[in-house]
Amino acid sequence: MNDLMTQIEQNKKEIESSVVTNKEELEAFRIKYLGTKGIVKAIMGEMKNVPVEQKKDAGQLLNEFKIFTEAAFENFSNAVESKADQIDFNMDLSLPGQPINIGARHPISIVHNKIISIFQRLGFSVAEGPEIEDDWHNFTALNLPENHPARDMQDTFYISQNPDWLLRTHTSSAQIRAMEKGELPLRIICPGRVYRNETISARAHCFFNQVEGLYIAENVSFADLKQTLYFFVKEMFGENVKVRFRPSYFPFTEPSAEMDISCLICGGEGCSVCKRTGWVEILGCGMVHPSVLDNCGIDSKKYTGFAFGMGIERITMLTYQVKDLRLFSENDVRFLKQFTSAI
Ligand code: PHE
Protein backbone atom coordinates (compact mmCIF):
# COMPACT_ATOMS: atom_id res chain seq x y z
CA MET A 1 0.00 0.00 0.00
CA ASN A 2 2.78 2.40 0.94
CA ASP A 3 4.58 1.43 -2.16
CA LEU A 4 1.50 2.29 -4.22
CA MET A 5 1.18 5.66 -2.50
CA THR A 6 4.79 6.56 -3.23
CA GLN A 7 4.40 5.62 -6.87
CA ILE A 8 1.30 7.77 -7.19
CA GLU A 9 2.92 10.73 -5.46
CA GLN A 10 5.99 10.52 -7.68
CA ASN A 11 3.93 10.37 -10.82
CA LYS A 12 1.77 13.28 -9.73
CA LYS A 13 4.87 15.40 -9.27
CA GLU A 14 6.15 14.35 -12.64
CA ILE A 15 2.87 15.22 -14.30
CA GLU A 16 2.83 18.63 -12.61
CA SER A 17 6.24 19.45 -13.98
CA SER A 18 5.51 18.05 -17.48
CA VAL A 19 5.79 20.43 -20.42
CA VAL A 20 3.42 19.85 -23.33
CA THR A 21 3.59 22.42 -26.12
CA ASN A 22 2.49 20.64 -29.28
CA LYS A 23 0.38 17.78 -30.62
CA GLU A 24 3.28 15.31 -30.67
CA GLU A 25 4.11 15.94 -27.00
CA LEU A 26 0.43 15.71 -26.13
CA GLU A 27 0.18 12.30 -27.78
CA ALA A 28 3.37 11.14 -26.01
CA PHE A 29 1.85 12.23 -22.68
CA ARG A 30 -1.35 10.32 -23.42
CA ILE A 31 0.51 7.14 -24.31
CA LYS A 32 2.82 7.40 -21.30
CA TYR A 33 0.10 7.90 -18.68
CA LEU A 34 -3.27 6.95 -20.15
CA GLY A 35 -2.41 4.45 -22.89
CA THR A 36 -3.19 0.71 -22.61
CA LYS A 37 0.37 0.11 -21.48
CA GLY A 38 0.53 3.42 -19.61
CA ILE A 39 1.32 4.21 -15.98
CA VAL A 40 -2.29 4.50 -14.78
CA LYS A 41 -3.10 1.00 -16.08
CA ALA A 42 0.18 -0.35 -14.65
CA ILE A 43 -0.51 0.99 -11.17
CA MET A 44 -4.06 -0.37 -11.35
CA GLY A 45 -2.53 -3.77 -12.13
CA GLU A 46 -0.77 -3.64 -8.78
CA MET A 47 -4.06 -3.57 -6.89
CA LYS A 48 -3.95 -7.35 -6.79
CA ASN A 49 -0.92 -7.20 -4.45
CA VAL A 50 -2.71 -4.93 -1.95
CA PRO A 51 -4.00 -6.74 1.17
CA VAL A 52 -7.77 -7.09 1.23
CA GLU A 53 -8.36 -4.74 4.18
CA GLN A 54 -6.53 -1.91 2.37
CA LYS A 55 -8.15 -2.46 -1.02
CA LYS A 56 -10.87 0.13 -0.43
CA ASP A 57 -8.46 2.99 0.42
CA ALA A 58 -6.08 1.97 -2.34
CA GLY A 59 -8.93 1.92 -4.89
CA GLN A 60 -9.94 5.44 -3.88
CA LEU A 61 -6.36 6.70 -4.18
CA LEU A 62 -5.98 5.13 -7.56
CA ASN A 63 -9.24 6.58 -8.78
CA GLU A 64 -8.17 10.06 -7.70
CA PHE A 65 -4.89 9.59 -9.51
CA LYS A 66 -6.71 8.56 -12.69
CA ILE A 67 -8.97 11.63 -12.53
CA PHE A 68 -5.95 13.85 -11.83
CA THR A 69 -4.10 12.47 -14.86
CA GLU A 70 -7.12 12.82 -17.16
CA ALA A 71 -7.65 16.42 -16.03
CA ALA A 72 -3.99 17.19 -16.71
CA PHE A 73 -4.32 15.70 -20.19
CA GLU A 74 -7.48 17.76 -20.82
CA ASN A 75 -5.67 20.98 -19.79
CA PHE A 76 -2.67 20.27 -22.00
CA SER A 77 -4.99 19.40 -24.88
CA ASN A 78 -6.91 22.70 -24.57
CA ALA A 79 -3.66 24.65 -24.41
CA VAL A 80 -2.32 22.96 -27.55
CA GLU A 81 -5.64 23.54 -29.43
CA SER A 82 -5.85 27.24 -28.64
CA LYS A 83 -2.23 27.63 -29.65
CA ALA A 84 -3.05 26.09 -33.03
CA ASP A 85 -5.63 28.86 -33.54
CA GLN A 86 -3.08 31.58 -33.03
CA ILE A 87 -1.23 33.19 -35.89
CA ASP A 88 2.16 31.71 -36.47
CA PHE A 89 4.40 34.72 -36.98
CA ASN A 90 7.16 32.54 -38.29
CA MET A 91 5.21 31.66 -41.41
CA ASP A 92 6.31 32.91 -44.81
CA LEU A 93 3.98 35.78 -45.65
CA SER A 94 5.25 35.94 -49.22
CA LEU A 95 3.73 32.51 -50.05
CA PRO A 96 0.71 32.66 -52.40
CA GLY A 97 -2.68 32.32 -50.68
CA GLN A 98 -5.16 29.47 -51.02
CA PRO A 99 -6.78 29.73 -54.46
CA ILE A 100 -10.48 30.65 -54.31
CA ASN A 101 -12.64 29.40 -57.14
CA ILE A 102 -15.12 32.11 -57.98
CA GLY A 103 -18.18 30.68 -59.71
CA ALA A 104 -19.54 32.17 -62.91
CA ARG A 105 -22.99 32.34 -64.39
CA HIS A 106 -23.83 29.83 -67.10
CA PRO A 107 -23.68 31.54 -70.53
CA ILE A 108 -27.28 30.50 -71.22
CA SER A 109 -28.36 32.23 -67.98
CA ILE A 110 -26.44 35.38 -68.87
CA VAL A 111 -28.14 35.64 -72.27
CA HIS A 112 -31.52 34.58 -70.86
CA ASN A 113 -31.32 37.41 -68.30
CA LYS A 114 -30.27 39.93 -70.91
CA ILE A 115 -33.12 39.02 -73.28
CA ILE A 116 -35.62 39.30 -70.43
CA SER A 117 -34.31 42.66 -69.26
CA ILE A 118 -34.59 44.11 -72.80
CA PHE A 119 -38.24 43.08 -73.12
CA GLN A 120 -39.02 44.17 -69.59
CA ARG A 121 -37.96 47.68 -70.59
CA LEU A 122 -40.65 47.52 -73.28
CA GLY A 123 -43.28 46.61 -70.68
CA PHE A 124 -43.31 42.82 -71.11
CA SER A 125 -43.59 40.71 -67.98
CA VAL A 126 -42.48 37.12 -67.47
CA ALA A 127 -45.08 34.31 -67.57
CA GLU A 128 -44.24 30.67 -67.05
CA GLY A 129 -45.91 27.30 -67.56
CA PRO A 130 -45.28 23.60 -66.93
CA GLU A 131 -42.68 21.57 -68.87
CA ILE A 132 -45.02 18.56 -68.98
CA GLU A 133 -47.95 19.82 -71.01
CA ASP A 134 -51.21 18.51 -72.37
CA ASP A 135 -51.99 18.25 -76.06
CA TRP A 136 -54.39 21.20 -75.96
CA HIS A 137 -51.92 23.79 -74.70
CA ASN A 138 -48.96 22.61 -76.76
CA PHE A 139 -50.75 21.89 -80.05
CA THR A 140 -54.51 21.95 -80.46
CA ALA A 141 -55.18 25.43 -79.07
CA LEU A 142 -52.36 26.70 -81.27
CA ASN A 143 -54.28 25.73 -84.37
CA LEU A 144 -52.43 22.44 -84.68
CA PRO A 145 -55.21 19.85 -84.37
CA GLU A 146 -54.47 16.12 -84.15
CA ASN A 147 -53.02 14.73 -87.39
CA HIS A 148 -52.13 18.21 -88.66
CA PRO A 149 -48.98 17.75 -90.77
CA ALA A 150 -47.32 20.79 -89.15
CA ARG A 151 -46.98 18.77 -85.92
CA ASP A 152 -44.10 17.06 -87.70
CA MET A 153 -42.14 20.33 -87.50
CA GLN A 154 -41.67 19.61 -83.80
CA ASP A 155 -40.71 15.98 -83.14
CA THR A 156 -42.29 15.32 -79.79
CA PHE A 157 -41.67 13.24 -76.67
CA TYR A 158 -45.04 11.80 -75.65
CA ILE A 159 -45.55 10.24 -72.24
CA SER A 160 -46.48 6.57 -72.74
CA GLN A 161 -48.88 6.25 -69.78
CA ASN A 162 -51.06 8.99 -71.21
CA PRO A 163 -50.66 10.15 -74.80
CA ASP A 164 -52.41 13.38 -73.92
CA TRP A 165 -49.29 14.42 -72.02
CA LEU A 166 -46.01 15.41 -73.61
CA LEU A 167 -42.84 17.36 -72.96
CA ARG A 168 -43.62 20.81 -74.30
CA THR A 169 -42.01 21.50 -77.66
CA HIS A 170 -42.17 25.29 -77.26
CA THR A 171 -43.19 27.81 -74.63
CA SER A 172 -46.14 28.90 -76.78
CA SER A 173 -48.08 26.58 -74.43
CA ALA A 174 -47.40 29.03 -71.59
CA GLN A 175 -48.82 31.80 -73.80
CA ILE A 176 -52.04 29.82 -74.29
CA ARG A 177 -52.32 29.48 -70.52
CA ALA A 178 -51.85 33.24 -70.11
CA MET A 179 -54.43 34.04 -72.80
CA GLU A 180 -56.96 31.68 -71.21
CA LYS A 181 -56.86 33.82 -68.07
CA GLY A 182 -58.48 36.51 -70.22
CA GLU A 183 -56.73 39.56 -68.76
CA LEU A 184 -56.20 41.99 -71.64
CA PRO A 185 -54.18 43.72 -72.91
CA LEU A 186 -51.49 41.08 -72.52
CA ARG A 187 -47.76 41.69 -72.93
CA ILE A 188 -45.68 38.71 -71.82
CA ILE A 189 -42.48 36.81 -72.46
CA CYS A 190 -42.26 33.12 -71.70
CA PRO A 191 -38.77 31.78 -71.07
CA GLY A 192 -38.15 28.12 -70.37
CA ARG A 193 -36.83 24.74 -71.32
CA VAL A 194 -38.41 22.86 -74.21
CA TYR A 195 -37.93 19.35 -75.62
CA ARG A 196 -37.79 17.88 -79.10
CA ASN A 197 -36.89 14.42 -80.27
CA GLU A 198 -33.84 15.50 -82.26
CA THR A 199 -30.62 13.65 -82.93
CA ILE A 200 -27.99 15.41 -80.84
CA SER A 201 -25.35 17.26 -82.87
CA ALA A 202 -23.37 20.49 -82.78
CA ARG A 203 -26.47 22.42 -83.89
CA ALA A 204 -29.39 20.49 -82.34
CA HIS A 205 -30.25 18.96 -78.98
CA CYS A 206 -33.24 17.11 -77.55
CA PHE A 207 -33.71 19.94 -75.05
CA PHE A 208 -33.03 23.63 -75.34
CA ASN A 209 -34.25 26.97 -73.98
CA GLN A 210 -36.62 29.43 -75.56
CA VAL A 211 -37.99 32.88 -74.99
CA GLU A 212 -41.32 33.46 -76.67
CA GLY A 213 -43.14 36.79 -76.63
CA LEU A 214 -46.78 37.76 -77.02
CA TYR A 215 -48.57 41.09 -77.23
CA ILE A 216 -52.35 41.24 -77.51
CA ALA A 217 -54.39 44.43 -77.46
CA GLU A 218 -56.63 46.45 -79.76
CA ASN A 219 -55.04 47.57 -83.04
CA VAL A 220 -51.73 45.74 -82.69
CA SER A 221 -50.15 45.56 -86.14
CA PHE A 222 -47.24 43.93 -87.93
CA ALA A 223 -45.48 47.30 -87.71
CA ASP A 224 -45.55 46.97 -83.90
CA LEU A 225 -44.01 43.53 -84.21
CA LYS A 226 -41.21 44.79 -86.43
CA GLN A 227 -40.47 47.78 -84.24
CA THR A 228 -40.33 45.63 -81.10
CA LEU A 229 -37.93 43.17 -82.71
CA TYR A 230 -35.74 45.94 -84.20
CA PHE A 231 -35.37 47.37 -80.72
CA PHE A 232 -34.50 43.94 -79.33
CA VAL A 233 -31.83 43.28 -81.99
CA LYS A 234 -30.13 46.66 -81.50
CA GLU A 235 -30.06 46.23 -77.73
CA MET A 236 -28.87 42.64 -77.94
CA PHE A 237 -26.32 42.81 -80.74
CA GLY A 238 -25.53 46.51 -81.23
CA GLU A 239 -26.47 49.35 -83.57
CA ASN A 240 -24.71 48.06 -86.68
CA VAL A 241 -26.55 44.78 -87.02
CA LYS A 242 -28.92 44.56 -90.00
CA VAL A 243 -32.28 42.83 -89.85
CA ARG A 244 -34.45 41.18 -92.50
CA PHE A 245 -37.78 39.36 -92.44
CA ARG A 246 -38.58 36.39 -94.68
CA PRO A 247 -42.13 35.08 -95.18
CA SER A 248 -42.64 31.77 -93.40
CA TYR A 249 -45.32 29.45 -92.07
CA PHE A 250 -46.50 28.67 -88.54
CA PRO A 251 -50.01 27.35 -87.92
CA PHE A 252 -50.53 29.77 -85.02
CA THR A 253 -49.57 33.00 -86.80
CA GLU A 254 -50.78 34.61 -90.02
CA PRO A 255 -48.90 36.21 -91.67
CA SER A 256 -45.74 34.53 -90.38
CA ALA A 257 -42.10 35.42 -90.82
CA GLU A 258 -38.63 34.38 -89.86
CA MET A 259 -36.18 37.05 -88.85
CA ASP A 260 -32.51 37.03 -89.80
CA ILE A 261 -29.70 39.27 -88.61
CA SER A 262 -26.51 40.06 -90.50
CA CYS A 263 -23.84 37.53 -89.54
CA LEU A 264 -21.92 38.68 -86.46
CA ILE A 265 -18.88 36.63 -87.39
CA CYS A 266 -18.19 37.96 -90.90
CA GLY A 267 -20.28 41.15 -90.74
CA GLY A 268 -22.36 40.01 -93.72
CA GLU A 269 -19.48 39.10 -96.05
CA GLY A 270 -20.26 35.39 -95.96
CA CYS A 271 -18.56 32.68 -93.85
CA SER A 272 -19.08 29.09 -92.70
CA VAL A 273 -21.34 30.13 -89.79
CA CYS A 274 -23.82 31.91 -92.09
CA LYS A 275 -23.28 29.32 -94.84
CA ARG A 276 -21.87 32.10 -97.09
CA THR A 277 -25.20 33.97 -97.11
CA GLY A 278 -24.20 36.80 -94.73
CA TRP A 279 -27.41 36.20 -92.72
CA VAL A 280 -28.33 34.02 -89.73
CA GLU A 281 -31.86 33.16 -88.67
CA ILE A 282 -32.64 34.01 -85.06
CA LEU A 283 -36.39 33.77 -84.56
CA GLY A 284 -39.88 33.00 -85.85
CA CYS A 285 -42.74 35.46 -85.54
CA GLY A 286 -46.09 36.61 -86.87
CA MET A 287 -49.56 37.96 -86.13
CA VAL A 288 -51.49 35.64 -83.81
CA HIS A 289 -53.95 33.59 -85.86
CA PRO A 290 -57.59 34.57 -85.12
CA SER A 291 -58.44 30.90 -84.42
CA VAL A 292 -55.87 30.86 -81.62
CA LEU A 293 -57.46 33.90 -80.02
CA ASP A 294 -60.92 32.30 -80.36
CA ASN A 295 -59.62 29.04 -78.84
CA CYS A 296 -58.59 31.03 -75.76
CA GLY A 297 -61.87 32.89 -75.48
CA ILE A 298 -60.51 36.20 -76.82
CA ASP A 299 -62.68 38.17 -79.26
CA SER A 300 -60.65 38.05 -82.49
CA LYS A 301 -62.80 40.80 -84.03
CA LYS A 302 -61.75 43.23 -81.34
CA TYR A 303 -58.21 42.15 -80.51
CA THR A 304 -55.12 41.43 -82.54
CA GLY A 305 -51.65 40.46 -81.43
CA PHE A 306 -48.17 39.44 -82.42
CA ALA A 307 -45.99 36.61 -81.23
CA PHE A 308 -42.37 35.61 -81.63
CA GLY A 309 -40.11 32.84 -80.40
CA MET A 310 -36.36 32.33 -80.27
CA GLY A 311 -33.89 29.74 -79.01
CA ILE A 312 -31.58 31.04 -76.31
CA GLU A 313 -28.81 28.60 -77.31
CA ARG A 314 -28.76 30.07 -80.82
CA ILE A 315 -28.49 33.64 -79.51
CA THR A 316 -25.78 32.58 -77.05
CA MET A 317 -23.77 30.83 -79.77
CA LEU A 318 -23.88 34.00 -81.87
CA THR A 319 -23.05 36.26 -78.94
CA TYR A 320 -20.04 34.29 -77.74
CA GLN A 321 -19.16 32.57 -81.02
CA VAL A 322 -19.62 29.10 -79.59
CA LYS A 323 -19.59 26.53 -82.39
CA ASP A 324 -21.07 23.47 -80.64
CA LEU A 325 -24.24 23.66 -78.58
CA ARG A 326 -23.48 20.44 -76.70
CA LEU A 327 -20.94 22.44 -74.67
CA PHE A 328 -23.83 24.16 -72.90
CA SER A 329 -25.02 20.95 -71.23
CA GLU A 330 -21.76 19.04 -70.68
CA ASN A 331 -20.92 20.94 -67.47
CA ASP A 332 -17.24 21.22 -68.28
CA VAL A 333 -15.92 23.89 -65.92
CA ARG A 334 -13.09 24.77 -68.33
CA PHE A 335 -15.74 25.94 -70.79
CA LEU A 336 -18.20 27.44 -68.31
CA LYS A 337 -15.73 29.61 -66.41
CA GLN A 338 -14.84 31.64 -69.49
CA PHE A 339 -18.03 33.70 -69.40
CA THR A 340 -18.56 36.84 -67.44
CA SER A 341 -21.78 38.76 -67.11
CA ALA A 342 -20.53 41.55 -69.35
CA ILE A 343 -21.50 41.20 -72.99
N1 PHE B 1 -43.31 28.37 -81.36
C1 PHE B 1 -42.42 28.50 -82.49
C2 PHE B 1 -41.35 27.42 -82.39
O1 PHE B 1 -41.05 26.99 -81.32
C3 PHE B 1 -41.76 29.85 -82.56
C4 PHE B 1 -42.76 30.95 -82.86
C5 PHE B 1 -43.37 31.59 -81.82
C6 PHE B 1 -43.06 31.29 -84.15
C7 PHE B 1 -44.28 32.60 -82.08
C8 PHE B 1 -43.96 32.28 -84.43
C9 PHE B 1 -44.56 32.94 -83.40
O2 PHE B 1 -40.78 27.03 -83.38
Side-chain angles (χ1 to χ4, degrees):
M1 171 74 178
N2 283 344
D3 192 32
L4 206 73
M5 276 174 69
T6 339
Q7 272 193 58
I8 289 177
E9 280 315 308
Q10 260 179 13
N11 278 300
K12 271 188 166 178
K13 278 201 192 107
E14 222 180 275
I15 289 173
E16 273 164 352
S17 56
S18 297
V19 184
V20 173
T21 53
N22 55 37
K23 288 203 166 139
E24 289 73 38
E25 287 171 2
L26 182 70
E27 182 59 3
F29 180 93
R30 190 190 63 76
I31 293 168
K32 181 173 177 191
Y33 291 100
L34 297 165
T36 34
K37 292 189 181 138
I39 290 172
V40 171
K41 278 264 160 63
I43 299 180
M44 277 180 164
E46 286 179 29
M47 272 291 280
K48 60 179 185 299
N49 305 326
V50 176
V52 185
E53 63 279 9
Q54 293 176 359
K55 269 211 185 343
K56 197 174 160 218
D57 291 343
Q60 204 174 344
L61 262 177
L62 247 172
N63 213 27
E64 277 167 18
F65 174 58
K66 188 170 172 246
I67 292 169
F68 173 85
T69 314
E70 283 169 352
F73 174 76
E74 193 62 29
N75 281 343
F76 287 139
S77 169
N78 289 342
V80 169
E81 283 299 322
S82 68
K83 209 174 161 213
D85 289 344
Q86 285 166 15
I87 298 168
D88 177 4
F89 287 103
N90 289 324
M91 71 183 175
D92 182 354
L93 292 172
S94 67
L95 285 174
Q98 298 278 348
I100 300 168
N101 284 321
I102 298 174
R105 269 196 197 287
H106 194 286
I108 297 287
S109 294
I110 296 172
V111 172
H112 163 277
N113 291 347
K114 182 156 183 190
I115 296 172
I116 288 178
S117 79
I118 295 170
F119 284 108
Q120 277 177 334
R121 274 186 277 145
L122 289 173
F124 286 79
S125 54
V126 172
E128 287 178 320
E131 289 182 22
I132 301 176
E133 258 302 359
D134 55 37
D135 184 285
W136 169 258
H137 290 96
N138 196 81
F139 286 133
T140 305
L142 284 153
N143 213 19
L144 270 153
E146 215 181 319
N147 300 324
H148 192 294
R151 284 200 182 196
D152 291 347
M153 286 159 74
Q154 302 184 353
D155 281 340
T156 310
F157 289 112
Y158 287 93
I159 290 172
S160 51
Q161 278 95 334
N162 183 345
D164 192 43
W165 290 349
L166 46 94
L167 298 182
R168 67 177 177 193
T169 57
H170 48 187
T171 59
S172 305
S173 51
Q175 304 187 331
I176 295 292
R177 287 178 181 277
M179 283 192 275
E180 283 174 340
K181 287 196 187 132
E183 288 159 21
L184 296 170
L186 188 62
R187 193 154 35 176
I188 52 167
I189 38 170
C190 303
R193 185 173 272 205
V194 300
Y195 302 84
R196 293 187 198 177
N197 187 11
E198 306 261 3
T199 309
I200 299 169
S201 71
R203 297 173 64 86
H205 210 300
C206 57
F207 58 79
F208 59 99
N209 293 272
Q210 275 193 328
V211 176
E212 294 214 351
L214 177 72
Y215 178 35
I216 296 180
E218 289 180 51
N219 302 319
V220 177
S221 72
F222 202 88
D224 297 316
L225 165 62
K226 285 174 90 173
Q227 207 52 47
T228 304
L229 294 178
Y230 283 151
F231 178 81
F232 165 69
V233 167
K234 303 281 174 209
E235 291 296 303
M236 190 74 213
F237 301 109
E239 282 295 324
N240 299 327
V241 177
K242 291 200 233 15
V243 176
R244 77 172 184 190
F245 287 85
R246 281 178 293 107
S248 185
Y249 172 76
F250 298 103
F252 31 86
T253 46
E254 182 61 35
S256 303
E258 265 161 276
M259 193 178 89
D260 300 340
I261 59 168
S262 52
C263 180
L264 299 175
I265 315 281
C266 63
E269 301 273 305
C271 69
S272 64
V273 171
C274 60
K275 301 196 200 101
R276 321 254 161 245
T277 63
W279 296 96
V280 274
E281 182 206 318
I282 64 160
L283 56 81
C285 59
M287 300 306 291
V288 179
H289 196 292
S291 310
V292 175
L293 297 176
D294 292 337
N295 286 341
C296 300
I298 294 173
D299 182 353
S300 59
K301 302 245 165 6
K302 189 168 171 206
Y303 292 100
T304 49
F306 67 71
F308 57 87
M310 67 188 102
I312 304 182
E313 276 78 356
R314 167 67 66 90
I315 309 276
T316 311
M317 287 169 92
L318 289 171
T319 305
Y320 291 120
Q321 309 193 2
V322 175
K323 295 221 164 58
D324 189 328
L325 120 176
R326 286 170 290 196
L327 288 162
F328 294 134
S329 50
E330 279 170 356
N331 282 344
D332 186 334
V333 176
R334 289 169 305 175
F335 169 73
L336 294 174
K337 73 179 178 191
Q338 297 173 50
F339 303 91
T340 62
S341 292
I343 41 174

